Amino acid sequence: MKVKLLRYLANLGYGTRRDVEWMLREGRVTDADGEVLYGDDKVPHAVIRLDGQPLDPPPGLVLMLNKPTGVTCSTKDHGQLVYDLLPERFALRDPVVSTVGRLDRDTSGLLLMTDDGQLLHRITSPKSGLDKVYEATLAQDLRGDEAATFASGTLLLEGEHKPLLPAELEVTGPRSARLTLHEGRYHQVRRMFAAVGNHVESLHRARVGGLELDGLAPGQWRYLDAADIDRLFGRG
């Protein structure tokens, strides 16, 4: 660790500098052997304990959340936010833990979050080639020509001048489908079905790159490790 412990803990969101000073004075911050640490100390992240517990991951944190419907991908908005589903200190970290892209309030499913700006850019960059899989329930029966339209590479969304990249549609029922996208435009799935005369009643993101929710319940989250990141980019 290159910075002093006082600043480091504050940057991890454990409180203001004053809050952390109080924790240190109370002897709540120790090493793994129970030896009290001080604000000027510079010690490895892995040995630090707060109230006897290891710290959250160091900068470079990545997590996966199964976002429920009714929750907004924002730091400030009306109603419930994704940050309400996480430890409060995550929103106070510096650098901040940000959503990787967004899912709208009415869309559920796999949402990645990280405080690693370079990784965030890498995931969202078109160069990454990460596909995203959505499961949609529709208001009307599918006509049968949607798959060909979405795969054509010629579909224009309302108000746009650049056609969509080809996308793959798998029909899973008269009014349900699985759609694989290779780009991420604003409300893209909903607008695609609107373009063919249908309406999305429910939408769930099931996969990003090589990552799936793997049984993670709505509202639950977990940290991602190096093996998960390899899977995300198709290396696992």
Short mmCIF file of all heavy atoms in Angstrom, two decimals, residues 99-142:
data_model
loop_
_atom_site.label_atom_id
_atom_site.label_comp_id
_atom_site.label_asym_id
_atom_site.label_seq_id
_atom_site.Cartn_x
_atom_site.Cartn_y
_atom_site.Cartn_z
N THR A 99 -21.71 1.49 -12.36
CA THR A 99 -22.31 0.45 -13.18
C THR A 99 -21.61 0.42 -14.54
O THR A 99 -21.21 1.45 -15.07
CB THR A 99 -23.81 0.71 -13.39
OG1 THR A 99 -24.00 1.96 -14.07
CG2 THR A 99 -24.55 0.73 -12.06
N VAL A 100 -21.47 -0.79 -15.08
CA VAL A 100 -20.87 -0.96 -16.41
C VAL A 100 -22.03 -0.94 -17.40
O VAL A 100 -22.70 -1.95 -17.62
CB VAL A 100 -20.08 -2.27 -16.50
CG1 VAL A 100 -19.45 -2.42 -17.89
CG2 VAL A 100 -19.00 -2.32 -15.42
N GLY A 101 -22.28 0.24 -17.99
CA GLY A 101 -23.51 0.40 -18.76
C GLY A 101 -24.69 0.50 -17.80
O GLY A 101 -24.51 0.64 -16.58
N ARG A 102 -25.88 0.41 -18.34
CA ARG A 102 -27.07 0.56 -17.49
C ARG A 102 -28.15 -0.41 -17.93
O ARG A 102 -28.21 -0.80 -19.09
CB ARG A 102 -27.62 1.99 -17.56
CG ARG A 102 -26.61 3.08 -17.26
CD ARG A 102 -27.25 4.43 -17.22
NE ARG A 102 -27.80 4.73 -15.90
CZ ARG A 102 -28.44 5.86 -15.61
NH1 ARG A 102 -28.61 6.77 -16.52
NH2 ARG A 102 -28.90 6.07 -14.40
N LEU A 103 -28.98 -0.79 -16.99
CA LEU A 103 -30.23 -1.46 -17.27
C LEU A 103 -31.33 -0.52 -16.80
O LEU A 103 -31.24 0.01 -15.68
CB LEU A 103 -30.34 -2.80 -16.52
CG LEU A 103 -29.39 -3.92 -16.94
CD1 LEU A 103 -29.58 -5.14 -16.03
CD2 LEU A 103 -29.60 -4.31 -18.39
N ASP A 104 -32.36 -0.30 -17.61
CA ASP A 104 -33.39 0.63 -17.19
C ASP A 104 -34.18 0.06 -16.01
O ASP A 104 -34.07 -1.11 -15.66
CB ASP A 104 -34.30 1.02 -18.36
CG ASP A 104 -35.11 -0.14 -18.90
OD1 ASP A 104 -35.80 -0.81 -18.11
OD2 ASP A 104 -35.08 -0.37 -20.13
N ARG A 105 -34.98 0.91 -15.40
CA ARG A 105 -35.70 0.56 -14.17
C ARG A 105 -36.53 -0.72 -14.34
O ARG A 105 -36.66 -1.53 -13.42
CB ARG A 105 -36.60 1.73 -13.75
CG ARG A 105 -37.36 1.48 -12.45
CD ARG A 105 -38.36 2.61 -12.22
NE ARG A 105 -37.70 3.86 -12.00
CZ ARG A 105 -37.34 4.33 -10.80
NH1 ARG A 105 -37.59 3.61 -9.72
NH2 ARG A 105 -36.74 5.50 -10.66
N ASP A 106 -37.11 -0.90 -15.53
CA ASP A 106 -38.02 -2.02 -15.75
C ASP A 106 -37.34 -3.26 -16.30
O ASP A 106 -38.01 -4.23 -16.66
CB ASP A 106 -39.15 -1.59 -16.70
CG ASP A 106 -40.00 -0.48 -16.11
OD1 ASP A 106 -40.26 -0.53 -14.89
OD2 ASP A 106 -40.39 0.44 -16.85
N THR A 107 -36.01 -3.24 -16.40
CA THR A 107 -35.26 -4.39 -16.89
C THR A 107 -34.49 -5.03 -15.74
O THR A 107 -33.85 -4.34 -14.95
CB THR A 107 -34.27 -3.97 -18.00
OG1 THR A 107 -35.01 -3.41 -19.10
CG2 THR A 107 -33.49 -5.17 -18.51
N SER A 108 -34.55 -6.34 -15.66
CA SER A 108 -33.84 -7.08 -14.62
C SER A 108 -32.63 -7.78 -15.22
O SER A 108 -32.43 -7.81 -16.43
CB SER A 108 -34.77 -8.12 -13.98
OG SER A 108 -35.17 -9.09 -14.94
N GLY A 109 -31.82 -8.36 -14.32
CA GLY A 109 -30.76 -9.24 -14.80
C GLY A 109 -29.36 -8.81 -14.49
O GLY A 109 -29.10 -7.99 -13.59
N LEU A 110 -28.43 -9.34 -15.26
CA LEU A 110 -27.00 -9.25 -14.98
C LEU A 110 -26.47 -7.84 -15.18
O LEU A 110 -26.53 -7.29 -16.28
CB LEU A 110 -26.25 -10.24 -15.89
CG LEU A 110 -24.83 -10.62 -15.50
CD1 LEU A 110 -24.44 -11.94 -16.20
CD2 LEU A 110 -23.82 -9.56 -15.84
N LEU A 111 -25.94 -7.28 -14.11
CA LEU A 111 -25.34 -5.95 -14.14
C LEU A 111 -23.95 -6.04 -13.51
O LEU A 111 -23.81 -6.54 -12.40
CB LEU A 111 -26.20 -4.96 -13.36
CG LEU A 111 -25.69 -3.52 -13.28
CD1 LEU A 111 -25.78 -2.85 -14.65
CD2 LEU A 111 -26.47 -2.72 -12.25
N LEU A 112 -22.96 -5.54 -14.23
CA LEU A 112 -21.60 -5.50 -13.71
C LEU A 112 -21.32 -4.12 -13.12
O LEU A 112 -21.83 -3.11 -13.61
CB LEU A 112 -20.59 -5.79 -14.82
CG LEU A 112 -20.70 -7.16 -15.50
CD1 LEU A 112 -19.70 -7.27 -16.64
CD2 LEU A 112 -20.49 -8.28 -14.49
N MET A 113 -20.50 -4.09 -12.05
CA MET A 113 -20.10 -2.84 -11.43
C MET A 113 -18.63 -2.92 -11.08
O MET A 113 -18.13 -3.99 -10.70
CB MET A 113 -20.94 -2.56 -10.18
CG MET A 113 -22.44 -2.49 -10.44
SD MET A 113 -23.43 -2.11 -8.96
CE MET A 113 -22.99 -0.41 -8.65
N THR A 114 -17.92 -1.79 -11.19
CA THR A 114 -16.49 -1.79 -10.90
C THR A 114 -16.02 -0.38 -10.56
O THR A 114 -16.66 0.61 -10.93
CB THR A 114 -15.68 -2.33 -12.10
OG1 THR A 114 -14.30 -2.40 -11.74
CG2 THR A 114 -15.84 -1.45 -13.33
N ASP A 115 -14.87 -0.30 -9.86
CA ASP A 115 -14.21 0.98 -9.64
C ASP A 115 -12.97 1.11 -10.54
O ASP A 115 -12.19 2.04 -10.38
CB ASP A 115 -13.84 1.17 -8.17
CG ASP A 115 -12.84 0.14 -7.67
OD1 ASP A 115 -12.40 -0.73 -8.46
OD2 ASP A 115 -12.47 0.18 -6.48
N ASP A 116 -12.81 0.17 -11.47
CA ASP A 116 -11.68 0.14 -12.39
C ASP A 116 -12.10 0.78 -13.72
O ASP A 116 -12.78 0.15 -14.53
CB ASP A 116 -11.23 -1.31 -12.60
CG ASP A 116 -9.98 -1.44 -13.45
OD1 ASP A 116 -9.71 -0.53 -14.27
OD2 ASP A 116 -9.27 -2.44 -13.32
N GLY A 117 -11.72 2.04 -13.92
CA GLY A 117 -12.14 2.77 -15.11
C GLY A 117 -11.66 2.14 -16.40
O GLY A 117 -12.38 2.13 -17.40
N GLN A 118 -10.45 1.60 -16.40
CA GLN A 118 -9.93 0.98 -17.62
C GLN A 118 -10.71 -0.27 -17.96
O GLN A 118 -11.02 -0.52 -19.14
CB GLN A 118 -8.44 0.65 -17.44
CG GLN A 118 -7.54 1.87 -17.44
CD GLN A 118 -6.06 1.49 -17.43
OE1 GLN A 118 -5.67 0.45 -16.93
NE2 GLN A 118 -5.24 2.36 -18.00
N LEU A 119 -11.04 -1.08 -16.95
CA LEU A 119 -11.83 -2.28 -17.21
C LEU A 119 -13.23 -1.91 -17.68
O LEU A 119 -13.76 -2.54 -18.61
CB LEU A 119 -11.90 -3.14 -15.95
CG LEU A 119 -12.73 -4.42 -16.08
CD1 LEU A 119 -12.13 -5.36 -17.12
CD2 LEU A 119 -12.86 -5.13 -14.73
N LEU A 120 -13.82 -0.91 -17.06
CA LEU A 120 -15.15 -0.46 -17.48
C LEU A 120 -15.13 -0.08 -18.95
O LEU A 120 -16.02 -0.50 -19.73
CB LEU A 120 -15.60 0.71 -16.61
CG LEU A 120 -17.04 1.19 -16.77
CD1 LEU A 120 -17.53 1.86 -15.48
CD2 LEU A 120 -17.20 2.18 -17.92
N HIS A 121 -14.14 0.69 -19.36
CA HIS A 121 -14.04 1.11 -20.77
C HIS A 121 -13.83 -0.10 -21.68
O HIS A 121 -14.41 -0.18 -22.77
CB HIS A 121 -12.90 2.11 -20.94
CG HIS A 121 -12.68 2.52 -22.35
ND1 HIS A 121 -13.53 3.39 -23.02
CD2 HIS A 121 -11.72 2.17 -23.26
CE1 HIS A 121 -13.10 3.55 -24.27
NE2 HIS A 121 -12.00 2.83 -24.42
N ARG A 122 -13.01 -1.03 -21.22
CA ARG A 122 -12.74 -2.21 -22.03
C ARG A 122 -14.00 -3.04 -22.26
O ARG A 122 -14.24 -3.54 -23.37
CB ARG A 122 -11.68 -3.06 -21.34
CG ARG A 122 -11.26 -4.30 -22.12
CD ARG A 122 -10.24 -5.09 -21.32
NE ARG A 122 -9.94 -6.37 -21.93
CZ ARG A 122 -9.41 -7.40 -21.31
NH1 ARG A 122 -9.12 -7.28 -20.02
NH2 ARG A 122 -9.18 -8.53 -21.93
N ILE A 123 -14.83 -3.19 -21.22
CA ILE A 123 -16.06 -3.97 -21.34
C ILE A 123 -17.05 -3.29 -22.27
O ILE A 123 -17.70 -3.94 -23.09
CB ILE A 123 -16.69 -4.21 -19.96
CG1 ILE A 123 -15.76 -5.07 -19.09
CG2 ILE A 123 -18.05 -4.89 -20.08
CD1 ILE A 123 -16.20 -5.16 -17.64
N THR A 124 -17.20 -1.98 -22.14
CA THR A 124 -18.21 -1.26 -22.91
C THR A 124 -17.76 -0.89 -24.31
O THR A 124 -18.59 -0.55 -25.16
CB THR A 124 -18.63 0.03 -22.17
OG1 THR A 124 -17.47 0.84 -21.93
CG2 THR A 124 -19.29 -0.30 -20.84
N SER A 125 -16.47 -0.97 -24.58
CA SER A 125 -15.98 -0.60 -25.90
C SER A 125 -16.49 -1.56 -26.97
O SER A 125 -16.49 -2.78 -26.77
CB SER A 125 -14.44 -0.62 -25.91
OG SER A 125 -13.96 -0.47 -27.23
N PRO A 126 -16.94 -1.04 -28.12
CA PRO A 126 -17.35 -1.92 -29.22
C PRO A 126 -16.26 -2.89 -29.64
O PRO A 126 -16.55 -3.98 -30.15
CB PRO A 126 -17.68 -0.92 -30.34
CG PRO A 126 -18.01 0.35 -29.64
CD PRO A 126 -17.11 0.38 -28.43
N LYS A 127 -15.01 -2.51 -29.42
CA LYS A 127 -13.90 -3.38 -29.81
C LYS A 127 -13.86 -4.67 -29.00
O LYS A 127 -13.23 -5.65 -29.42
CB LYS A 127 -12.57 -2.62 -29.65
CG LYS A 127 -12.40 -1.44 -30.59
CD LYS A 127 -11.07 -0.76 -30.36
CE LYS A 127 -10.90 0.45 -31.27
NZ LYS A 127 -9.60 1.14 -31.04
N SER A 128 -14.50 -4.68 -27.82
CA SER A 128 -14.46 -5.86 -26.97
C SER A 128 -15.22 -7.03 -27.60
O SER A 128 -14.91 -8.19 -27.35
CB SER A 128 -15.05 -5.56 -25.59
OG SER A 128 -16.45 -5.38 -25.67
N GLY A 129 -16.24 -6.70 -28.40
CA GLY A 129 -17.03 -7.75 -29.03
C GLY A 129 -17.86 -8.57 -28.07
O GLY A 129 -18.28 -9.69 -28.39
N LEU A 130 -18.12 -8.04 -26.87
CA LEU A 130 -18.91 -8.78 -25.89
C LEU A 130 -20.39 -8.75 -26.26
O LEU A 130 -20.99 -7.67 -26.35
CB LEU A 130 -18.72 -8.19 -24.49
CG LEU A 130 -17.34 -8.34 -23.86
CD1 LEU A 130 -17.34 -7.75 -22.46
CD2 LEU A 130 -16.90 -9.79 -23.82
N ASP A 131 -20.97 -9.90 -26.47
CA ASP A 131 -22.40 -9.93 -26.77
C ASP A 131 -23.20 -9.93 -25.48
O ASP A 131 -22.70 -10.25 -24.40
CB ASP A 131 -22.77 -11.11 -27.66
CG ASP A 131 -22.29 -12.45 -27.10
OD1 ASP A 131 -21.85 -12.47 -25.95
OD2 ASP A 131 -22.37 -13.45 -27.82
N LYS A 132 -24.47 -9.56 -25.58
CA LYS A 132 -25.37 -9.50 -24.44
C LYS A 132 -26.65 -10.23 -24.83
O LYS A 132 -27.19 -10.00 -25.92
CB LYS A 132 -25.67 -8.04 -24.06
CG LYS A 132 -24.42 -7.23 -23.74
CD LYS A 132 -24.77 -5.77 -23.49
CE LYS A 132 -23.51 -4.93 -23.30
NZ LYS A 132 -22.72 -4.81 -24.54
N VAL A 133 -27.12 -11.09 -23.94
CA VAL A 133 -28.30 -11.91 -24.22
C VAL A 133 -29.45 -11.45 -23.34
O VAL A 133 -29.31 -11.36 -22.11
CB VAL A 133 -27.99 -13.40 -23.99
CG1 VAL A 133 -29.26 -14.24 -24.21
CG2 VAL A 133 -26.88 -13.87 -24.91
N TYR A 134 -30.59 -11.17 -23.97
CA TYR A 134 -31.79 -10.71 -23.28
C TYR A 134 -32.93 -11.67 -23.52
O TYR A 134 -33.08 -12.22 -24.62
CB TYR A 134 -32.20 -9.32 -23.79
CG TYR A 134 -31.23 -8.22 -23.48
CD1 TYR A 134 -30.13 -7.99 -24.31
CD2 TYR A 134 -31.40 -7.41 -22.36
CE1 TYR A 134 -29.22 -6.98 -24.03
CE2 TYR A 134 -30.50 -6.39 -22.08
CZ TYR A 134 -29.42 -6.18 -22.91
OH TYR A 134 -28.52 -5.18 -22.63
N GLU A 135 -33.76 -11.84 -22.50
CA GLU A 135 -34.97 -12.64 -22.61
C GLU A 135 -36.16 -11.69 -22.49
O GLU A 135 -36.30 -10.98 -21.49
CB GLU A 135 -35.00 -13.71 -21.51
CG GLU A 135 -33.86 -14.71 -21.64
CD GLU A 135 -33.70 -15.61 -20.44
OE1 GLU A 135 -34.35 -15.31 -19.40
OE2 GLU A 135 -32.93 -16.59 -20.51
N ALA A 136 -37.00 -11.69 -23.54
CA ALA A 136 -38.10 -10.73 -23.62
C ALA A 136 -39.44 -11.44 -23.65
O ALA A 136 -39.59 -12.48 -24.31
CB ALA A 136 -37.95 -9.87 -24.87
N THR A 137 -40.40 -10.88 -22.91
CA THR A 137 -41.79 -11.29 -23.00
C THR A 137 -42.55 -10.16 -23.69
O THR A 137 -42.38 -8.98 -23.34
CB THR A 137 -42.39 -11.54 -21.60
OG1 THR A 137 -41.62 -12.53 -20.93
CG2 THR A 137 -43.83 -12.01 -21.71
N LEU A 138 -43.37 -10.53 -24.67
CA LEU A 138 -43.96 -9.54 -25.56
C LEU A 138 -45.47 -9.44 -25.39
O LEU A 138 -46.12 -10.38 -24.92
CB LEU A 138 -43.62 -9.90 -27.01
CG LEU A 138 -42.11 -10.07 -27.27
CD1 LEU A 138 -41.87 -10.79 -28.58
CD2 LEU A 138 -41.42 -8.73 -27.24
N ALA A 139 -46.01 -8.31 -25.81
CA ALA A 139 -47.44 -8.06 -25.67
C ALA A 139 -48.26 -8.79 -26.73
O ALA A 139 -49.44 -9.09 -26.52
CB ALA A 139 -47.71 -6.56 -25.76
N GLN A 140 -47.65 -9.08 -27.88
CA GLN A 140 -48.36 -9.72 -28.99
C GLN A 140 -47.57 -10.93 -29.48
O GLN A 140 -46.36 -11.02 -29.27
CB GLN A 140 -48.56 -8.73 -30.14
CG GLN A 140 -49.29 -7.45 -29.78
CD GLN A 140 -49.33 -6.47 -30.93
OE1 GLN A 140 -49.53 -6.87 -32.08
NE2 GLN A 140 -49.13 -5.20 -30.63
N ASP A 141 -48.27 -11.83 -30.18
CA ASP A 141 -47.60 -12.98 -30.78
C ASP A 141 -46.56 -12.51 -31.79
O ASP A 141 -46.75 -11.51 -32.50
CB ASP A 141 -48.60 -13.88 -31.49
CG ASP A 141 -49.49 -14.66 -30.53
OD1 ASP A 141 -49.23 -14.60 -29.31
OD2 ASP A 141 -50.44 -15.31 -31.01
N LEU A 142 -45.45 -13.23 -31.83
CA LEU A 142 -44.44 -12.97 -32.86
C LEU A 142 -45.01 -13.31 -34.23
O LEU A 142 -45.74 -14.30 -34.39
CB LEU A 142 -43.19 -13.80 -32.57
CG LEU A 142 -42.40 -13.36 -31.32
CD1 LEU A 142 -41.54 -14.50 -30.81
CD2 LEU A 142 -41.55 -12.14 -31.64
#
